[in-house]
Amino acid sequence: MSLESEADLPGEAVLAGTLPEALRAELVAFRRDLHMHPELGNQEFRTTAAIKARLEKAGLAPRVLAIGTGLVCDIGDLDGVRPMLALRADIDALPIPDTKSECSYRSTVPDRAHACGHDVHTTVVLGAGLVLAELHRQGKLPRPVRLLFQPAEEVLPGGAADAIECGVLDGVGQIIAVHCDPRVDAGRIGLRAGAITSACDRLEIALDGPGGHTARPHLTTDLVTAAARVVTDVPALVSRRVDSRSGLAVTWGRVESGHAPNVIPQHAELSGTVRCLDIEAWRQAPDIVHAAIDEIANLYRAKSEINYVRGVPPVVNDAGVTELLRDAMVARRGVESVEDTEQSLGGEDFSWYLEHVPGAMARLGVRTPGERTVRDLHQGDFDADESAITVGVELFTAAALLEGGV
């Protein structure tokens, strides 16, 4: 296994695909522009246009997906010998305000923010594509590569399913991605073979029954108490009906009922998420959750209406592709630049691609080394150390150049 080399400076041999300073600065500016103009899932028209324009400027031929946003761009042609390596980025933002107070590139769109790092992911794949396109022109790209800019990752069950229906995996043998991790220092990545994220579904419940005066709860369904018991008892019941190692967990995000202190309401609503570490337990989860809710609702004579929205399965990293990413990072930055990471309870629709082709996702460190404050994902003050862009680009280019990767 080896990497091709090229002379970047007189007397200094570096790995092919090292990021030139001018491109490094351009990519930081591109990322900041995306950060200032976040767009929600399936509405990423400006983002799609910006990516398309830059790829076309480089002489490439990107294709917008049939769903209207997102695009793919191939570098090199399929030869029937080596399958294509896909580099995937997600391009959508979150419906939350950007709360960074001192930041020249904070969001200009009210209640919209790139608070999950998708602007970084997009810039990394764009930068890798520009570098690999130049290497291809020089005859130094040993395999064809597909750039995949996917919309609507934050919209269950994920834009990946729509992208797959558009044929983005045709001819692809492996797929790789990164996800920003504010717990890992910039300059490093986290890797794990096997499950690295969890399954995530959405749960919505309506409870109904005769209401009445709080002086006479025995004549009502007492929906507030019924809702409270669903909140506390359903997670406990669910956790006892599967192997505890599966990590099946129900967590509530919204509970609403009633308008007056002395009136027992006729309607209550609850919503939350169902997360699971194990894919087999995830497949059983809808039946288990439904049964637990009905059991508690019936106890209080409440009528329950359940909307269980299937989300995404766990991202299960292929062992071989994980080693490809490890080898690529070690070749770029040495063995100390890679750390083992744990399985998280977060969901990621990258998992849908792995139902079809082997692949792996790395955690891309975005914390400034030495910084004690962790700006967590999905928070309005989230930001990334922009040196991580260079790390991601060079990780992907090294993975594409490694001879034994596919």
Side-chain angles (χ1 to χ4, degrees):
M1 184 179 294
S2 65
L3 281 166
E4 298 201 36
S5 298
E6 63 181 0
D8 186 51
L9 296 172
E12 180 180 359
V14 297
L15 298 175
T18 299
L19 202 59
E21 185 56 42
L23 181 54
R24 190 192 320 266
E26 179 191 351
L27 292 176
V28 168
F30 189 91
R31 179 256 169 171
R32 291 185 177 189
D33 179 72
L34 294 185
H35 200 85
M36 293 173 67
H37 301 93
E39 297 174 301
L40 299 184
N42 296 315
Q43 301 172 25
E44 312 96 330
F45 298 104
R46 183 187 185 278
T47 302
T48 298
I51 300 165
K52 183 173 182 287
R54 185 60 184 92
L55 292 171
E56 289 177 339
K57 182 180 177 182
L60 297 169
R63 309 183 301 278
V64 176
L65 300 183
I67 51 180
T69 61
L71 63 161
V72 294
C73 183
D74 293 347
I75 303 170
D77 299 319
L78 284 172
D79 56 12
V81 178
R82 306 207 75 176
M84 194 167 275
L85 173 68
L87 315 180
R88 176 267 198 173
D90 36 13
I91 65 175
D92 58 325
L94 287 163
I96 63 175
D98 188 334
T99 61
K100 296 188 292 295
S101 58
E102 298 180 4
C103 179
S104 62
Y105 51 86
R106 65 180 295 182
S107 173
T108 61
V109 184
D111 300 320
R112 303 286 186 268
H114 268 295
C116 198
H118 294 189
D119 53 337
V120 174
H121 307 164
T122 299
T123 305
V124 165
V125 172
L126 174 65
L130 296 175
V131 172
L132 292 171
E134 179 58 31
L135 291 175
H136 177 60
R137 281 189 284 271
Q138 298 172 14
K140 296 180 179 179
L141 186 63
R143 71 189 65 180
V145 172
R146 173 167 293 160
L147 313 179
L148 167 55
F149 299 92
Q150 175 214 303
E153 190 276 331
E154 299 287 353
V155 181
L156 289 179
D162 292 331
I164 292 168
E165 288 188 7
C166 290
V168 300
L169 292 181
D170 293 348
V172 170
Q174 292 179 319
I175 186 168
I176 56 177
V178 293
H179 197 295
C180 289
D181 192 335
R183 302 166 302 169
V184 178
D185 283 351
R188 298 170 62 86
I189 64 169
L191 288 176
R192 176 187 176 89
I196 192 172
T197 70
S198 301
C200 179
D201 300 333
R202 188 171 73 244
L203 180 62
E204 299 168 345
I205 305 170
L207 299 177
D208 290 282
H213 200 289
T214 56
R216 292 176 290 278
H218 60 290
L219 301 179
T220 76
T221 55
D222 197 359
L223 274 182
V224 172
T225 299
R229 289 298 297 270
V230 168
V231 167
T232 57
D233 291 357
V234 166
L237 283 174
V238 165
S239 68
R240 290 298 182 269
R241 293 178 178 178
V242 293
D243 189 322
S244 59
R245 291 171 295 184
S246 71
L248 182 60
V250 177
T251 306
W252 305 106
R254 183 179 71 93
V255 180
E256 292 185 14
S257 185
H259 301 282
N262 62 341
V263 177
I264 294 175
Q266 301 178 42
H267 183 74
E269 294 182 358
L270 305 87
S271 59
T273 59
V274 180
R275 298 180 186 271
C276 187
L277 299 172
D278 177 72
I279 195 166
E280 292 304 321
W282 175 69
R283 293 190 173 109
Q284 303 171 35
D287 291 340
I288 294 172
V289 171
H290 270 79
I293 293 168
D294 287 340
E295 187 173 322
I296 301 302
N298 291 338
L299 185 64
Y300 287 86
R301 295 175 296 164
K303 179 184 177 182
S304 63
E305 183 176 337
I306 304 167
N307 182 27
Y308 193 108
V309 182
R310 263 309 198 191
V312 295
V315 172
V316 182
N317 282 346
D318 176 80
V321 184
T322 302
E323 283 307 302
L324 169 63
L325 289 173
R326 185 182 301 275
D327 291 343
M329 191 65 179
V330 169
R332 290 294 187 195
R333 306 237 164 189
V335 294
E336 297 301 320
S337 65
V338 181
E339 61 183 61
D340 294 331
T341 193
E342 60 189 14
Q343 183 180 6
S344 79
L345 279 169
E348 232 290 351
D349 76 351
F350 185 70
S351 55
W352 291 124
Y353 299 113
L354 305 188
E355 297 278 298
H356 301 272
V357 297
M361 170 176 281
R363 296 210 168 107
L364 179 67
V366 296
R367 180 179 61 193
T368 300
E371 184 177 359
R372 294 185 178 182
T373 301
V374 176
R375 293 185 174 89
D376 202 7
L377 300 173
H378 288 216
Q379 299 297 316
D381 65 346
F382 172 78
D383 204 356
D385 186 317
E386 291 172 318
S387 66
I389 295 171
T390 298
V391 177
V393 170
E394 296 186 350
L395 169 68
F396 279 168
T397 56
L401 292 169
L402 279 170
E403 293 178 357
V406 178

